[in-house]
Amino acid sequence: MVRNLLGSVLALAGATAAVWSPFRAWYDGRHGRHYRLGDLFSAGGVTNVPAELFASLFLPFVGAALVTLAGLLRRSRLLVALAGVIVLGFTVLWLVRVGQAAGSLVISGAPSYGLGPGTGLAFGGGLVLLLASVVLRGRGVRAEPVYVPPPDPAAPTVPTLDGPATDYR
């Protein structure tokens, strides 16, 4: 029970970090909600064209949060791990596509230059979701009851070393 509670808290924290991350700066002060989701899969790569909220990086992270909630309700470690893989997958895909568009990625201490806290939140949220799937205990496997037939009254009695055979009915 403690493992499920701790795993649930970790999963909710990871999902919250992932959903919050598009509202923070991702790269060069540009928020994650301004990156179009279609740019990650297009041949042109990441562009400067702004995106609507549900056409941005926000959409897969909300989807991952919903998968996390379904996993917690069903107590499914697999669904929570899938949510972590979704978050990490889109974060890494975004890193690759922005790296291709910019030529290189810069990690800087300045908030308006280089990778921002939104990228860290998304990456950390995905890792926390994977950690939660390891901590969760899950449902467990229930064993089927074993059928034991009743004793046959016509069966012979078993002799003992203490004396003659006795009837144990």
Side-chain angles (χ1 to χ4, degrees), residues 40 46 89-105:
L40 298 180
V46 176
F90 275 95
T91 304
V92 169
L93 179 62
W94 176 86
L95 284 168
V96 168
R97 298 301 282 178
V98 167
Q100 288 174 341
S104 66
L105 291 176

Side-chain angles (χ1 to χ4, degrees), residues 20 32 56:
W20 186 31
S56 68

Side-chain angles (χ1 to χ4, degrees), residues 114-169:
L115 290 175
T119 310
L121 273 173
F123 197 76
L127 290 178
V128 169
L129 283 168
L130 288 179
L131 177 67
S133 72
V134 171
V135 171
L136 279 171
R137 189 158 176 220
R139 283 186 175 198
V141 178
R142 293 184 182 176
E144 292 186 24
V146 178
Y147 175 73
V148 178
D152 184 17
T157 57
V158 179
T160 62
L161 296 177
D162 297 336
T166 56
D167 191 9
Y168 292 104
R169 283 186 244 164

